[in-house]
Amino acid sequence: MNKIALTLILLILPFSLVYTSPRKKVGIVLSGGGAKGVAHIGVIKTLEELNIPIDYIAGTSIGAIIGGLYSIGYTSEQLAVIVKQTDWIDLLTDKVSRKEIPFPFKSADSKYLMSFPINNSGKNGGIIKGKNISQLLHQLTEGYQNVTNFDSLPIPFACIATDMVRNKKEVIRFGKLSEAMRASMAVPVVFSPIYSGKKVLIDGGFKDNLPIDVVKAMGADIIIGIDVQSELSDADNLHSIAGIANQLMLMICQSSLDESTKDIDAYIKVDVENYNAASFTKAAIDTLIIRGENAAKANYNTLLSIKNRVGIVNNKKNNKAKLPLFYPQYVPSNDNQLRIGLRFDSEDIAAVILNINLNKQKIGKAEIVARGGKQSFLRTQYHLPISKPQWITLSNQIGYNDIFLYNHGRKISNPTFIRNTSSLIYSIIPSRNLQMEVGASLDYHRYYRTLVSEDATLMKRKNLFLNYHTKLKYETLDKRYFPTKGLKTNISYTIYTDLHTNTAYSSLATQITKIFPIALNTFIIPTIYGRFIFNNGIPFMYSNVIGGEGYNPHYEQQIPFSGLIHTESTLKLLGNAQIQLRHKFHERQYFTVSGNYATHQNQFFKFFAGKKIYGTSIGYGYDSPVGPLEGFICYSNRTHKLEFYLNIGFEF
């Protein structure tokens, strides 16, 4: 009996071992390729549809990002939503939405063309610090930020970086997931490297752009490699610096590719022709995902064979990943910086601004600002933080001004003068988009030339004023130039005291601008301006003036006016309504039609029956990397002639 039982056991045991033996483990390898890497999503989608399990993931650069997110539970569908809803232009820069920038930092937004660190103790090492991409990866990996062993993720994961110090491949399987993905895509010079101890980590594509050996070492029995690299260009396309630089990058990334593909069960090469590492447009993303699906389906028989080798499995993902909407958060820079701005204006011809910004986190920020041109100044200021939302600002500005003043299109005065202003301002920022301030200033003017027409008002040679003001500012505009949504409101009350005559004047000013989308890429932008002076005989420096199509006011109180490219004087009570119709076309180009209607008077009870000023303009604008380029054709009843205005560069 015992012999029979033993015989049955020996007969059954092999079948039992076969039945309980572990299934084959599948690993996928995702190459780098910049924007072309979104094609990985299409391939993964096909693997999901075929119910092929994914047990290990290894990736490089964009492949590390796609693979890392998939390893923690994001599905191919969710990954597609993420890449489509992300503003890649903002993400792959250090740019932050204007509405996220708190006061008092809004004024410095989009003002300087170039910025250079000064004795900066931080580690940059790249044109782009990558703050936005780091924020996004941190946000997307919420729930796994404390995981330090990538083998313990829902799908074990590894990514590749290059250690510049040792000139070796760095396989990252431990640490912080978001930082590992960020290190793997740090294209040198473009993005700052990740500094980890004595290691300086950059894009892994320089050493291994398709890390097949890594996923094999992790335990994969079956390996699927997905390659989104471009093909090498022929001689006809290697005539430019950009073309040669791109070819060198491809040569480096493909150097070990032929050798590595020998240990692969399925090699899926995606057709990425006509696309490059920066092809992040919506149309490109849609096409690349579809091409990824097509590449996987072209290998259908191979993938079906893999599925049969693996056997029937339950490949449903336990998906707990969320889909947050990402908005880059503003992080004030503590770097000491030298910033430079340039602009050309058909009124002032040319101007340059130089800013030295010295930050000390605990003791505040000091600035030195110099502007060269017809309106030149040197300003020094110090911002002292009292608490997180409160500031005290001390400043002194001395400037030389050479201004033409017009009346009904006729030049009546050309004041040239030195102005020196010392200010003390207290600011509180109760919310990101709101600033309230009170301040006092000592304002000195010395005139050298004033009168060119008998219609002009004579000005005193010297003036000294002690002024007090309170301001309320609120702004949610999405951009400083060519905004497409948001609200802007400024309200101020100022008292001017002539210390020579002990005469006091005051003014109340307001501006409200609201943007209304009325159709796709078409916006109506109404603005209401008003400024009321509550005394007679206010000095020239503080009187009401209008004019200026662009962003170049000569006076703080100057009100822009469509149709007038120069500065016109008005009476002491001024109300102005402007409406703009703006249409966006071809990504960064704009067509604008604008109209203005103003009334001005010296007496309140006759205000609405005051003198009328109207103007209109038609213009083209281009939102270029070096600042707005705008040209306007203008007409107003103050000049009764067509005029042209051109601006190139940021406002300052």
Side-chain angles (χ1 to χ4, degrees):
M1 187 68 181
N2 291 335
K3 290 182 179 180
I4 295 173
L6 181 61
T7 302
L8 289 172
I9 291 171
L10 291 173
L11 289 171
I12 295 171
L13 183 60
F15 296 99
S16 176
L17 291 172
V18 171
Y19 181 77
T20 60
S21 64
R23 67 168 177 82
K24 299 289 185 180
K25 299 292 185 180
V26 180
I28 63 171
V29 185
L30 311 180
S31 81
K36 297 171 292 183
V38 302
H40 290 310
I41 298 171
V43 178
I44 293 173
K45 179 183 177 184
T46 303
L47 297 179
E48 290 176 342
E49 293 171 351
L50 288 171
N51 205 31
I52 295 175
I54 298 174
D55 302 293
Y56 303 101
I57 301 175
T60 299
S61 196
I62 185 69
I65 294 175
I66 299 293
L69 295 178
Y70 194 79
S71 75
I72 62 174
Y74 288 98
T75 65
S76 61
E77 183 180 0
Q78 289 178 316
L79 291 173
V81 172
I82 291 171
V83 298
K84 290 178 182 180
Q85 74 176 11
T86 298
D87 187 335
W88 289 94
I89 295 178
D90 288 351
L91 184 67
L92 297 176
T93 65
D94 295 322
K95 184 180 178 181
V96 179
S97 171
R98 183 170 175 80
K99 71 176 184 179
E100 299 295 327
I101 301 176
F103 286 106
F105 304 106
K106 285 186 187 288
S107 61
D109 178 48
S110 299
K111 182 182 291 187
Y112 302 103
L113 179 61
M114 296 170 284
S115 181
F116 307 94
I118 303 175
N119 296 327
N120 180 25
S121 59
K123 299 175 179 178
N124 293 331
I127 299 172
I128 301 168
K129 293 182 180 180
K131 293 186 294 185
N132 290 345
I133 186 70
S134 294
Q135 287 182 26
L136 174 62
L137 295 176
H138 180 80
Q139 187 174 343
L140 291 174
T141 55
E142 184 179 357
Y144 293 92
Q145 294 164 0
N146 295 324
V147 177
T148 57
N149 184 347
F150 299 167
D151 285 343
S152 61
L153 297 174
I155 302 176
F157 170 72
C159 65
I160 309 302
T162 301
D163 182 5
M164 295 185 70
V165 176
R166 300 178 298 145
N167 191 25
K168 289 185 178 180
K169 178 170 76 175
E170 183 76 11
V171 180
I172 307 176
R173 297 179 66 179
F174 299 91
K176 192 173 182 178
L177 180 59
S178 60
E179 290 184 358
M181 293 188 289
R182 167 67 176 83
S184 186
M185 54 75 64
V187 179
V189 183
V190 178
F191 287 99
S192 294
I194 295 296
Y195 298 88
S196 178
K198 295 184 178 180
K199 299 176 182 178
V200 179
L201 304 178
I202 61 171
D203 196 302
F206 286 92
K207 288 298 179 182
D208 193 351
N209 206 37
L210 194 67
I212 293 168
D213 62 326
V214 174
V215 79
K216 186 176 181 180
M218 294 171 71
D221 303 300
I222 299 172
I223 300 174
I224 301 172
I226 308 166
D227 185 4
V228 297
Q229 300 175 90
S230 299
E231 300 292 341
L232 293 172
S233 300
D234 57 27
D236 294 335
N237 296 312
L238 295 176
H239 292 218
S240 65
I241 295 175
I244 291 174
N246 184 64
Q247 188 85 338
L248 286 171
M249 182 71 73
L250 290 173
M251 290 166 60
I252 294 171
C253 292
Q254 294 185 7
S255 58
S256 62
L257 184 61
D258 293 338
E259 186 68 24
S260 63
T261 55
K262 294 190 300 183
D263 297 323
I264 202 167
D265 295 271
Y267 175 61
I268 299 175
K269 182 71 170 76
V270 182
D271 175 17
V272 293
E273 187 177 0
N274 299 324
Y275 294 99
N276 55 47
S279 299
F280 281 111
T281 64
K282 186 181 183 302
I285 289 172
D286 289 337
T287 302
L288 286 165
I289 292 175
I290 292 172
R291 288 192 181 186
E293 292 182 57
N294 293 337
K297 291 174 181 178
N299 289 269
Y300 184 81
N301 291 334
T302 302
L303 295 176
L304 193 61
S305 175
I306 290 173
K307 178 181 179 180
N308 293 332
R309 289 167 61 188
V310 173
I312 299 174
V313 297
N314 180 11
N315 195 33
K316 290 186 178 180
K317 300 185 70 174
N318 184 21
N319 179 34
K320 296 182 180 179
K322 299 179 180 179
L323 272 178
L325 292 174
F326 173 71
Y327 299 100
Q329 301 297 305
Y330 180 78
V331 179
S333 173
N334 290 317
D335 299 341
N336 299 330
Q337 294 176 314
L338 170 65
R339 300 183 290 189
I340 300 173
L342 301 168
R343 72 188 301 269
F344 171 85
D345 177 273
S346 57
E347 287 291 288
D348 284 349
I349 309 304
V352 59
I353 190 168
L354 182 69
N355 175 286
I356 299 176
N357 194 335
L358 305 175
N359 284 285
K360 294 292 183 181
Q361 192 169 7
K362 294 183 179 180
I363 63 174
K365 179 175 72 172
E367 284 189 275
I368 301 173
V369 184
R371 184 188 194 272
K374 286 182 66 178
Q375 322 306 326
S376 302
F377 65 75
L378 176 66
R379 179 171 68 242
T380 58
Q381 58 187 22
Y382 177 68
H383 305 277
L384 175 65
I386 303 175
S387 64
K388 190 172 182 180
Q390 299 180 79
W391 293 74
I392 288 179
T393 301
L394 299 168
S395 72
N396 184 81
Q397 177 172 309
I398 183 169
Y400 174 81
N401 300 269
D402 184 1
I403 300 171
F404 289 105
L405 189 64
Y406 292 74
N407 187 19
H408 291 278
R410 294 186 302 111
K411 188 184 299 181
I412 63 169
S413 183
N414 176 209
T416 59
F417 57 95
I418 295 291
R419 182 178 186 182
N420 188 86
T421 307
S422 299
S423 304
L424 172 64
I425 299 172
Y426 166 78
S427 303
I428 183 170
I429 310 164
S431 67
R432 181 183 297 114
N433 297 306
L434 177 66
Q435 178 177 345
M436 296 179 288
E437 70 175 48
V438 294
S441 64
L442 190 65
D443 199 8
Y444 172 77
H445 318 133
R446 179 179 176 88
Y447 292 90
Y448 294 96
R449 183 176 71 249
T450 60
L451 187 64
V452 297
S453 168
E454 62 182 12
D455 296 330
T457 302
L458 286 171
M459 303 165 190
K460 295 179 181 178
R461 183 68 64 183
K462 298 179 182 178
N463 292 289
L464 182 64
F465 290 86
L466 180 60
N467 303 330
Y468 310 90
H469 77 265
T470 180
K471 293 182 180 180
L472 177 67
K473 305 175 184 178
Y474 180 81
E475 183 184 322
T476 60
L477 300 182
D478 59 339
K479 295 188 293 183
R480 183 171 186 173
Y481 309 101
F482 310 109
T484 59
K485 57 184 177 182
L487 170 70
K488 180 178 181 180
T489 301
N490 291 328
I491 302 173
S492 66
Y493 179 74
T494 307
I495 298 173
Y496 312 94
T497 305
D498 190 333
L499 296 183
H500 289 159
T501 64
N502 291 321
T503 305
Y505 314 87
S506 64
S507 70
L508 176 66
T510 184
Q511 173 196 349
I512 302 174
T513 300
K514 175 65 178 172
I515 300 175
F516 296 95
I518 59 172
L520 183 63
N521 294 328
T522 303
F523 313 90
I524 285 184
I525 309 170
T527 300
I528 297 175
Y529 296 96
R531 188 169 185 262
F532 305 120
I533 299 170
F534 300 103
N535 205 339
N536 295 321
I538 193 167
F540 156 78
M541 183 55 62
Y542 308 123
S543 63
N544 284 332
V545 291
I546 61 172
E549 279 287 351
Y551 308 99
N552 194 30
H554 294 142
Y555 310 93
E556 183 181 1
Q557 75 272 19
Q558 184 171 339
I559 295 176
F561 196 92
S562 298
L564 289 174
I565 65 173
H566 51 257
T567 304
E568 287 259 340
S569 64
T570 67
L571 302 177
K572 69 176 189 176
L573 306 176
L574 173 64
N576 176 33
Q578 180 189 73
I579 189 163
Q580 289 184 324
L581 177 65
R582 180 179 294 152
H583 178 71
K584 178 181 179 182
F585 61 99
H586 295 306
E587 195 77 24
R588 289 174 168 264
Q589 301 183 68
Y590 299 83
F591 175 76
T592 302
V593 178
S594 182
N596 262 117
Y597 183 85
T599 182
H600 63 124
Q601 181 59 267
N602 281 328
Q603 298 175 307
F604 277 102
F605 62 90
K606 295 182 179 180
F607 175 71
F608 291 103
K611 298 179 179 180
K612 304 299 189 289
I613 308 173
Y614 59 82
T616 186
S617 65
I618 300 174
Y620 164 84
Y622 176 65
D623 192 8
S624 79
V626 298
L629 188 157
E630 294 182 286
F632 292 94
I633 297 175
C634 318
Y635 178 84
S636 153
N637 69 330
R638 298 282 282 194
T639 61
H640 296 288
K641 63 180 180 180
L642 290 176
E643 297 182 290
F644 178 75
Y645 174 82
L646 176 67
N647 171 78
I648 304 172
F650 296 121
E651 170 193 359
F652 55 79

